[in-house]
């Protein structure tokens, strides 16, 4: 009885006192009040105990009752069999009551005291068969002043959860009632079987039923937190679960121990909201099988994914194990976009306290700047944004106590988007829009100091864009914008949530005077280049002509020389006339 907890150091300090009080309580329940008083007086007399000692005993007993009551460790009394008992010298018997007429009361006789029913006390007792098969019973104790107008008692128990009732009539023999009129009789009945954690309403009425002569009391049966109930009542044999996760195969192996022997056992995966909702993976372990392990398939490791097990008996207590409370990564992937309604929605797969914002992804520092008026805090509801711009840099940001996560559902080019280009001059800038859908835009010149909001330094322009594969829609803005503090900001106005894009550090051309000088310089350079080209071509042509002329002249000289060389030769070979 004392081994109901290993952590109660205060109970261990009062070990001796607990032993004495437990023995005293055991003896208290079995002796008559007269014998108890005599034995207690003898005990005090023999040990010479003073009144202070008796007060100390009382304080210790109260303290232990508080400790044991707070720890749900009370030992429930055992009975071998249920039945009806009355005070010594009284004859009584019981039978199940089905008399509905006794539910109607009659006027109380003047001779009958309204206190004929003195008291009623309720408790829980346990009846076990072969030491293991145990059940709980309601133990009802009542005190009645016998009277000639009362033939017996009706005791009823009503379950407030199921509205099922059970009643018993307790009858006293006529001879006993007449002879012992005015005497008190103690009645004890303990055959009403009850369930764990049951809420009961108990009534005790006289037979016949007199109005205003009735006792009633509500009672809560101990639940499975009571150590004695947990160890002996089958519905509390929840079992112990051990698990192992194979993330590659997405399976959870579960091993079950410490449950009712030779009894089938169920194991399942569920998502824990107010109740644990089934997610499809379900298994049965046969009680006669030696292997008490099964494998369950899962889809995502969510923080509310739990392993639940219970014995295959009615109203069995269930045990749950939720080991994935920190696996929140998969929560933020359930974003859905409806292109027809332009609605972006996220619904939590688990109850989670999170703040959801739309934000603009910044390429420069990998941050996401929140959009105004887009914050939602709904731990168990769908978060929905209507008329959303499908720009790749529009994202959702989820913030919890553990940190922030950003998801950009349009970043992969699967949805229509728009682009902006700028062609800048000194006092004028041309802004061109390309969009895959009909869209309305606003353009504003703003200060660079405010990236999340635009402080206007110019006139706001509106642009209507019609999709065209090669021809953009443009708007011209005049003014001095070729400074480093000025940006051009553009956003869609035909939706409720749009990304404001900004283009800063606009590279403009030179001033007008410099531009003329530049143009004149270009003309001079061009003219010089043309002259150089012409001179080069003339030089090349003259060189070619001279080359040809010298070649012909050389050829003529060579021909003349050959002729001159051939004439004397002919003279020499002419024969002489002499």
């Amino acid at each position: 009885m004392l081994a109901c907890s290993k952590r109660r150091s205060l109970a261990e300090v009062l070990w001796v006192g607990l032993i004495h009080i437990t023995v005293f309580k055991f003896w208290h329940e079995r002796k008559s009040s007269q014998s108890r008083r005599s034995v207690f007086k003898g005990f005090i007399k023999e040990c010479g105990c003073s009144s202070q000692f008796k007060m100390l005993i009382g304080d210790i007993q109260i303290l232990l009752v508080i400790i044991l009551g707070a720890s749900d460790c009370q030992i429930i009394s055992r009975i071998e069999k249920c039945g009806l008992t009355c005070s010594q010298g009284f004859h009584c018997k019981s039978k199940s009551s089905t008399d509905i007429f006794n539910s109607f009361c009659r006027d109380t006789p003047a001779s009958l005291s309204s206190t004929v029913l003195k008291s009623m006390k309720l408790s829980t007792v346990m009846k076990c068969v072969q030491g293991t098969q145990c059940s709980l019973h309601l133990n009802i104790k009542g005190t009645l002043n016998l009277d000639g107008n009362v033939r017996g008692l009706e005791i009823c128990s009503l379950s407030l959860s199921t509205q099922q009732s059970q009643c018993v009539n307790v009858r006293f023999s006529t001879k006993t009632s007449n002879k012992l009129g005015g005497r008190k009789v103690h009645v004890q009945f303990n055959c009403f079987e009850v369930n764990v954690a049951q809420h009961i309403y108990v009534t005790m009425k006289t037979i016949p039923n007199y109005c205003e002569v009735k006792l009633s009391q509500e009672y809560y049966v101990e639940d499975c937190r009571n150590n004695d109930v947990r160890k002996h009542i089958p519905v509390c044999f929840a079992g112990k679960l051990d698990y192992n996760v194979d993330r590659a195969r997405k399976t959870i192996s579960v091993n079950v121990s410490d449950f009712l022997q030779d009894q089938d056992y169920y194991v399942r995966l569920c998502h824990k909201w107010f109740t644990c909702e089934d997610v499809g993976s379900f298994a049965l372990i046969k009680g006669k099988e030696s292997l008490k392990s099964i494998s369950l398939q899962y889809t995502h490791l969510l923080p509310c994914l739990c392993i639940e097990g219970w014995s295959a008996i009615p109203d069995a207590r269930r045990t749950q194990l939720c080991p994935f409370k920190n696996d929140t990564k998969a929560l933020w992937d359930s974003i859905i976009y409806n292109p027809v309604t332009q609605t972006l929605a996220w619904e939590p797969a688990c109850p989670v306290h999170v703040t959801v914002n739309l934000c603009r992804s910044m390429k420069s520092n990998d941050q996401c700047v929140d959009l105004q008026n887009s914050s939602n805090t709904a731990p168990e509801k769908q978060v929905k944004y209507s008329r959303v711009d499908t720009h790749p840099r529009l994202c959702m940001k989820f913030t919890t106590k553990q940190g922030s996560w950003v998801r950009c559902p349009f970043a992969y080019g699967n949805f229509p988007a728009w682009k902006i280009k700028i062609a800048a001059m000194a006092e004028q800038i041309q802004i061109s829009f390309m969009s895959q859908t009909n869209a309305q835009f606003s353009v504003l010149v703003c200060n660079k100091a405010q990236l999340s909001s635009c402080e206007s330094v110019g006139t706001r322009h509106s642009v209507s864009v019609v999709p065209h594969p090669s021809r953009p829609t443009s708007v011209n803005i005049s003014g001095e914008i070729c400074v480093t503090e000025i940006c051009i900001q553009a956003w869609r106005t035909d939706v409720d949530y749009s990304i404001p894009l900004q283009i800063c550090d606009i590279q403009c051309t030179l001033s007008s005077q410099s531009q003329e000088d530049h143009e004149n310089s270009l003309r001079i350079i061009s003219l010089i280049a043309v002259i150089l080209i012409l001179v080069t071509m003339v030089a090349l042509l003259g060189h070619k002509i001279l080359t040809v002329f010298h070649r012909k002249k050389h050829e003529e000289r060579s021909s003349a020389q050959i002729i001159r060389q051939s004439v004397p030769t002919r003279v020499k070979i002419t024969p002489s006339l002499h």
Side-chain angles (χ1 to χ4, degrees), residues 529-545:
V530 171
I531 293 173
L532 290 175
I533 292 172
L534 290 175
V535 170
T536 303
M537 292 179 63
V538 170
L540 291 174
L541 180 61
H543 180 266
K544 187 71 175 175
I545 293 172

Side-chain angles (χ1 to χ4, degrees), residues 224-264:
C224 294
R225 292 176 295 179
N226 182 286
N227 194 59
D228 203 13
V229 174
R230 184 167 60 251
K231 288 183 177 180
H232 297 93
I233 303 302
V235 295
C236 292
F237 297 165
K240 180 181 178 182
L241 304 177
D242 296 310
Y243 74 97
N244 185 39
V245 181
D246 187 342
R247 295 177 182 265
R249 299 182 179 179
K250 289 190 174 183
T251 59
I252 301 176
S253 300
V254 183
N255 183 63
V256 184
S257 59
D258 297 340
F259 67 98
L260 193 61
Q261 295 181 356
D262 299 330
Q263 183 67 52
D264 293 348

